[in-house]
Amino acid sequence: MGVLEDKANARLFYKYLSKVYDRINPVIWNEEMRDDALEWFAIREDDRVLDVGCGTAKFGSRDRVRFYRGDAERLPFADDSFDKVWSSGSIEYWPNPVDALAEFRRVVKPGGRVLVVGPDYPENPVFQRLADAIMLFYGEAEAQRMFEAAGFVDIEHHIQQNAPGTPKAITTIARAPAESTEGTADVATVDA
């Protein structure tokens, strides 16, 4: 487990990173990558969407958004509450990603989709050791394992990169089974 997969360490890290996050993040995750992910995710106007780990989300006072502070592994919502669940740049800090993904499956409606963006595992062995010491980095095989373990189906992975030489992101889109195993575009966010 990497040092930032500890919740207290991750909160402290983001306390300081949040001050420069909006300037640093576009190097890794740019608008074109986000737009591609949104196109794959296909949010409809009447979808109720949960964004887990919203970071420094900027919404106007007239947007239909409610913020909740919570834990990705114990979401403060009833079963089958959302049409879609989105999380970008958060999974790498979760101590138990399969538990959090199972929570996503619990709160998304049967047949609903989830999209998770995380850091793709580096190819260079030196960067691999560094990545393992910091936080969760994973490739397609590990993403497939995690999403299957959490009960998702129709799992697809996209490797995205801002520019050659920059870190890669892995964007996974999956669907909750059509039958539930548990009991205007609104967006709810959880600061994981």
Side-chain angles (χ1 to χ4, degrees), residues 6 12 16 18 32 48-49 52 76 83 89 98 121 125-126 137 144 149 154 162 168 173 176-177:
D6 173 85
L12 180 63
Y16 297 101
S18 66
E32 182 180 334
R48 186 159 190 242
V49 180
V52 177
D83 298 294
V98 173
Y121 200 65
V126 173
F137 284 76
Q144 187 73 26
D154 299 336
N162 182 358
K168 295 177 183 176
I173 303 167

Side-chain angles (χ1 to χ4, degrees), residues 91-130:
I91 189 172
E92 57 267 31
Y93 303 105
W94 304 340
N96 303 300
V98 173
D99 292 348
L101 293 172
E103 274 291 275
F104 287 17
R105 187 177 53 74
R106 181 184 68 77
V107 302
V108 75
K109 294 176 182 175
R113 294 176 42 142
V114 302
L115 179 145
V116 176
V117 180
D120 190 37
Y121 200 65
E123 296 171 12
N124 180 302
V126 173
F127 289 129
Q128 288 174 352
R129 284 192 295 280
L130 179 61

Side-chain angles (χ1 to χ4, degrees), residues 128-156:
Q128 288 174 352
R129 284 192 295 280
L130 179 61
D132 290 339
I134 297 173
M135 59 191 178
L136 175 67
F137 284 76
Y138 58 94
E140 287 184 49
E142 180 63 7
Q144 187 73 26
R145 183 199 69 75
M146 291 187 300
F147 277 81
E148 285 177 354
F152 286 101
V153 297
D154 299 336
I155 304 164
E156 61 184 67

Side-chain angles (χ1 to χ4, degrees), residues 25-101:
N25 194 50
V27 172
I28 299 167
W29 179 252
N30 65 21
E31 288 185 29
E32 182 180 334
M33 294 165 72
R34 184 204 60 219
D35 290 347
D36 287 344
L38 286 168
E39 183 177 321
W40 300 325
F41 204 37
I43 297 172
R44 296 182 318 245
E45 188 173 328
D46 63 340
D47 280 341
R48 186 159 190 242
V49 180
L50 172 65
D51 179 353
V52 177
C54 64
T56 60
K58 312 285 186 293
F59 291 96
S61 61
R62 295 173 36 170
D63 292 316
R64 296 181 301 171
V65 176
R66 288 182 292 263
F67 288 91
Y68 298 84
R69 186 170 190 168
D71 187 318
E73 296 168 12
R74 291 182 304 281
L75 295 170
F77 305 105
D79 296 357
D80 306 334
S81 294
F82 298 93
D83 298 294
K84 293 189 169 73
V85 177
W86 165 288
S87 183
S88 178
S90 182
I91 189 172
E92 57 267 31
Y93 303 105
W94 304 340
N96 303 300
V98 173
D99 292 348
L101 293 172

